[in-house]
């Protein structure tokens, strides 16, 4: 059966949206609006799999929403909402808790990393997180999921869950007229030159909201001065930029800055080296400051403006949630019928 193309993705409201979130995901969200129907979700229920201070969580939900809007996602043509306003995500996640196998979840590398050594003390939610993520996507029967590289394994699990549900309930799915597959196999859309943006202090570590040094990242809310300062202080090596892209492999800091430039500019690393190969970092950094300020400055300013009007943000989320709920309820009703629940 052919499924209608639909894009779904989620961003966690856990603070400090940075250049890595922007280039690794949000840029793609914006682009996909021209070719697909899109649903973009602030996944607040995922956020509380690790402790969140309630007032900060509220602020962060609004901040991610502001980032979506400031980056150019159109909440009228597409859907922007927060997960907890559509209860069907949690409902379908329960069904998926009963479809997914312990063995599948035991392989998830993100759980191992986040739970760390003290696994006994990790929340059950953190362990079941990938099942909720599968529900996020499949409650809309979405077909395409723009995500960073680190979410590939979770996407594969979503596909496995969709397939096992389709197999386990094949007869019931047929009998109720849904053909031979109720859920699609959602595909990851992983992108461009700087999918993995690295720390500005260490080119071998991912740019992260939890790095102790604020100089390691460019936050989306940084103003022009902060952006310039951080780029100028970014770690480099003593050599001029290479002409040949292959040489970047052994120079993580150079590779990262060239990748960031390419991604912000919508070009490739080879293009950037065509222009700056042989130059000193000082000259390249001047150009990178100009480009970063030109691209990110207006986004940060717009985010700051938007978060000052929480009523407006909350109205966007309420409208998006109502529209999302209509779609999700339709899927959930069908799932209840397929599983054999009695409903009104
Ligand atoms: N797990 C994703 C992350 O940490 C966020 C997420 C939750 C998501 N649900 C999703 C992404 C559904 C894509 C689709 O980045």
């Amino acid at each position: 059966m052919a499924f209608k193309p639909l894009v779904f993705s989620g961003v966690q409201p856990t603070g400090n949206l940075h250049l890595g979130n922007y280039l690794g995901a949000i840029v793609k969200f914006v682009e996909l609006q021209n070719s697909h129907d899109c649903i973009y979700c602030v996944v607040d229920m995922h956020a509380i799999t690790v402790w969140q201070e309630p007032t900060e969580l509220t602020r962060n939900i609004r901040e991610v929403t502001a980032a979506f809007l400031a980056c150019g996602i159109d909440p009228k043509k597409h859907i922007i909402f927060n997960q907890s306003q559509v209860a069907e995500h949690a409902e379908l996640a329960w069904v998926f808790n009963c479809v997914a196998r312990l063995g599948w979840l035991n392989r998830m590398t993100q759980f191992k990393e986040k739970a760390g050594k003290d696994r006994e003390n990790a929340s059950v939610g953190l362990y079941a997180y990938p099942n909720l993520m599968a529900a996020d996507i499949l409650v809309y029967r979405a077909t395409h999921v723009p995500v960073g590289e680190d979410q590939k394994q979770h996407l594969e699990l979503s596909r496995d869950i969709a397939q096992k549900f389709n197999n386990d309930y094949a007869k019931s799915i047929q009998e109720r007229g849904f053909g031979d597959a109720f859920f699609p196999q959602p595909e990851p859309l992983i992108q461009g030159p700087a999918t993995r943006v690295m720390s500005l202090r260490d080119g071998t570590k991912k740019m992260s909201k939890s790095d102790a040094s604020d100089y390691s990242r460019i936050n989306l809310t940084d103003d022009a001065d902060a952006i310039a300062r951080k780029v100028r202080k970014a770690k480099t090596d003593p050599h001029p930029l290479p002409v040949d892209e292959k040489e970047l492999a052994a120079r993580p800091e150079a590779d990262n800055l060239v990748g960031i430039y390419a991604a912000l500019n919508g070009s490739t690393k080879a293009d950037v080296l065509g222009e700056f190969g042989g130059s000193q970092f000082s000259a390249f950094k001047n150009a990178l400051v100009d480009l970063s300020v030109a691209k990110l400055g207006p986004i940060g300013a717009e985010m700051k403006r938007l978060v000052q009007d929480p009523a407006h943000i909350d109205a966007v989320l309420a409208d998006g949630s109502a529209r999302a709920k209509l779609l999700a309820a339709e899927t959930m009703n069908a799932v209840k019928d397929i599983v054999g629940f009695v409903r009104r």
Side-chain angles (χ1 to χ4, degrees):
M1 176 179 162
F3 291 89
K4 184 173 151 287
L6 177 66
V7 167
F8 181 95
S9 196
V11 172
Q12 288 201 52
T14 44
N16 271 339
L17 277 181
H18 54 70
L19 185 62
N21 304 112
Y22 178 66
L23 293 178
I26 302 175
V27 166
K28 189 76 176 178
F29 295 4
V30 174
E31 193 182 299
L32 283 163
Q33 295 184 102
N34 300 321
S35 51
H36 291 77
D37 287 332
C38 303
I39 303 178
Y40 296 126
C41 183
V42 184
V43 289
D44 47 12
M45 297 199 309
H46 277 93
I48 63 162
T49 55
V50 296
W51 168 254
Q52 303 295 320
E53 214 293 302
T55 23
E56 265 176 49
L57 179 62
T58 307
R59 187 165 48 78
N60 288 332
I61 292 168
R62 294 189 178 125
E63 190 174 285
V64 173
T65 310
F68 283 170
L69 297 171
C71 291
I73 296 169
D74 183 339
K76 292 270 179 284
K77 291 203 186 106
H78 303 275
I79 292 178
I80 295 178
F81 77 109
N82 60 313
Q83 187 182 29
S84 61
Q85 294 205 51
V86 181
E88 284 76 3
H89 289 242
E91 255 184 299
L92 184 58
W94 180 260
V95 176
F96 287 173
N97 282 343
C98 304
V99 172
R101 306 288 93 181
L102 283 177
W104 300 359
L105 290 175
N106 286 339
R107 286 197 285 275
M108 295 295 115
T109 55
Q110 185 172 296
F111 174 75
K112 290 180 201 166
E113 276 164 25
K114 286 203 181 177
K117 286 203 180 66
D118 192 8
R119 208 175 284 187
E120 295 283 309
N121 196 36
S123 74
V124 174
L126 189 65
Y127 185 73
Y129 178 120
N131 294 346
L132 178 59
M133 178 164 163
D136 296 339
I137 299 164
L138 293 170
V139 85
Y140 303 100
R141 300 207 274 172
T143 54
H144 294 86
V145 184
V147 279
E149 190 74 43
D150 63 325
Q151 295 299 312
K152 248 173 105 169
Q153 194 185 33
H154 287 161
L155 242 295
E156 271 154 31
L157 187 90
S158 299
R159 298 163 68 88
D160 290 343
I161 289 175
Q163 186 162 28
K164 184 161 162 56
F165 182 94
N166 288 340
N167 287 341
D168 288 356
Y169 291 103
K171 184 159 161 283
S172 184
I173 289 169
Q174 272 291 349
E175 283 168 2
R176 282 161 186 80
F178 294 111
D180 44 33
F182 181 71
F183 287 120
Q185 291 275 291
E187 280 183 40
L189 299 174
I190 294 170
Q191 59 198 310
T195 312
R196 267 168 76 80
V197 178
M198 310 308 277
S199 160
L200 299 181
R201 309 300 300 162
D202 176 350
T204 63
K205 269 191 0 202
K206 250 182 93 172
M207 185 175 283
S208 160
K209 61 168 189 279
S210 45
D211 195 311
S213 167
D214 199 50
Y215 277 97
S216 69
R217 62 182 161 261
I218 296 178
N219 302 305
L220 286 187
T221 47
D222 283 345
D223 59 20
D225 283 350
I227 295 172
R229 230 177 312 121
K230 289 175 177 180
V231 171
R232 294 227 157 80
K233 279 208 183 221
K235 187 174 170 202
T236 54
D237 57 43
H239 308 289
L241 284 167
V243 175
D244 183 353
E245 189 181 340
K246 285 198 205 85
E247 288 178 39
L248 289 175
R251 298 174 61 184
E253 282 80 22
D255 188 31
N256 188 36
L257 295 179
V258 168
I260 290 171
Y261 191 103
L264 284 173
N265 202 34
S267 59
T268 64
K269 290 182 190 176
D271 292 334
V272 177
L273 294 179
E275 196 177 342
F276 294 99
S279 307
Q280 299 298 325
F281 271 106
S282 52
F284 175 62
K285 279 184 169 181
N286 283 336
L288 183 56
V289 165
D290 290 346
L291 179 64
S292 308
V293 168
K295 295 279 175 179
L296 303 174
I299 294 174
E302 179 65 358
M303 277 177 70
K304 280 193 192 131
R305 192 185 71 79
L306 286 164
V307 294
Q308 272 165 27
D309 187 358
H312 169 68
I313 302 229
D314 294 2
V316 168
L317 292 173
D319 173 67
S321 298
R323 286 154 58 215
K325 181 155 181 96
L326 289 177
L327 303 171
E330 197 181 321
T331 306
M332 202 56 222
N333 281 340
V335 167
K336 286 178 177 173
D337 292 344
I338 290 166
V339 169
F341 291 161
V342 174
R343 66 179 177 91
R344 346 178 255 283

